[in-house]
Structures are given as structure tokens and as C-alpha cells.
Amino acid sequence: MSKRDEAWLQGILDKIWDNYFPEVQQVNDVRIVFGRRTKRRLGSISLHPSDCKTSVITMNGLFRREDVPEFVVEATIFHELTHYAHGFNSPLEQAQAHPHAGGVMRREFAERGLLELYLQQKRWLKANWLDVLTQEFPAKPRAGVRKTARTIAIKPFWFIGD
Ligand SMILES: [Zn+2]
């Protein structure tokens, strides 16, 4: 039985790096941690602001849930590692002006043989993410508003930002 701790994340990161980014040099410390449970961000990567010695990949705390498939976690780590490889929040040379410019993420998955993983993650999020959020963040009934209309704004927020 796998336990979803940071060693587990580190194992997935190592596997993805070794198998899919073999030519990408690790030029500083790269750590991976669980962050808060959030609605709008699957993951992010940051660089220590003063010395550039450490890049930290922060994963949504909701990924501790066993019902979030491992491929969703893998695709998120792949996404953040792509930013690292492209020089965003890593000491490597920046590959393009914007981290998500012109379909660059999809292309990176495709070129490294993981287009199916990219699509799988997208499909799973579309079908299930809202349910996860509804369980984790129950809508608070507002005074004077009937409880029947419980909605969370649906936007493809997981493809933007981070
Ligand atoms: Zn991103």
C-alpha cells in the first residue's frame, strides 16, 4: 500500500526525470513538497529568490487523496519539470518568453511520448475534479440564499497559471 508522503512524490519525480527528461541537467537542488489543498492550482515551481540554489515543486495537498489517480500526479510533475527544463524558476536558460506560450506544454508531452498522459489527466480532471472540490470545500450557505443552487464556477482553471 503506497503512502502519499513526500518520499512518494520524490520517487515519482525521479522516475519521470530519469525516463523522460534524461538530457535535462539538474543544476541545483530540486525538492518536491505537498502544499495546501487548493482549488485552482495543481502544482507550481518556485526558485529560492536570493541564491537560486533550490527549486521547489509544490503539489496540491489534495493529491494526498487516494482517489486522485497517480497519472494525474505524474502529469502535474511532468508539467512542473517542463517549466524547470524551459528555465522557469530554474537556473537553466529560458526557452521562451512565457511558460505556457502557444501550446508549448502539450507539445512537450507529445515530443516526450506522453501525449496520452496529457489527455488522460485532462479527461480525468474534467470528469472528476469538481466532485473532489465539492467534497473538500463544501459551499457555505449564505444568509438569505437558498441552499439548492450549489455551484462552483466551472473554468478550465487547471490549465492556466502555475
Ligand atoms: Zn504551468
Side-chain angles (χ1 to χ4, degrees), residues 79-80 83 100 105 161-162:
H79 181 118
E80 301 311 329
H83 287 321
H100 301 110
M105 200 52 76
D162 56 285

Side-chain angles (χ1 to χ4, degrees), residues 70-87:
E70 200 160 318
F71 66 76
V72 172
V73 180
E74 288 170 357
T76 303
I77 293 175
F78 185 100
H79 181 118
E80 301 311 329
L81 210 41
T82 293
H83 287 321
Y84 184 88
H86 291 177

Side-chain angles (χ1 to χ4, degrees), residues 12-54:
I12 299 174
L13 174 63
D14 291 346
K15 189 184 75 178
I16 291 174
W17 202 322
D18 290 349
N19 290 322
Y20 299 104
F21 293 88
E23 88 292 4
V24 174
Q25 221 196 324
Q26 182 176 343
V27 289
N28 62 346
D29 291 335
V30 179
R31 297 175 47 219
I32 185 164
V33 298
F34 275 116
R36 292 181 307 122
R37 302 172 312 135
T38 74
K39 295 178 188 177
R40 290 171 202 286
R41 255 188 183 191
L42 301 180
S44 62
I45 183 165
S46 62
L47 183 64
H48 192 283
S50 60
D51 62 11
C52 297
K53 275 190 182 151
T54 310

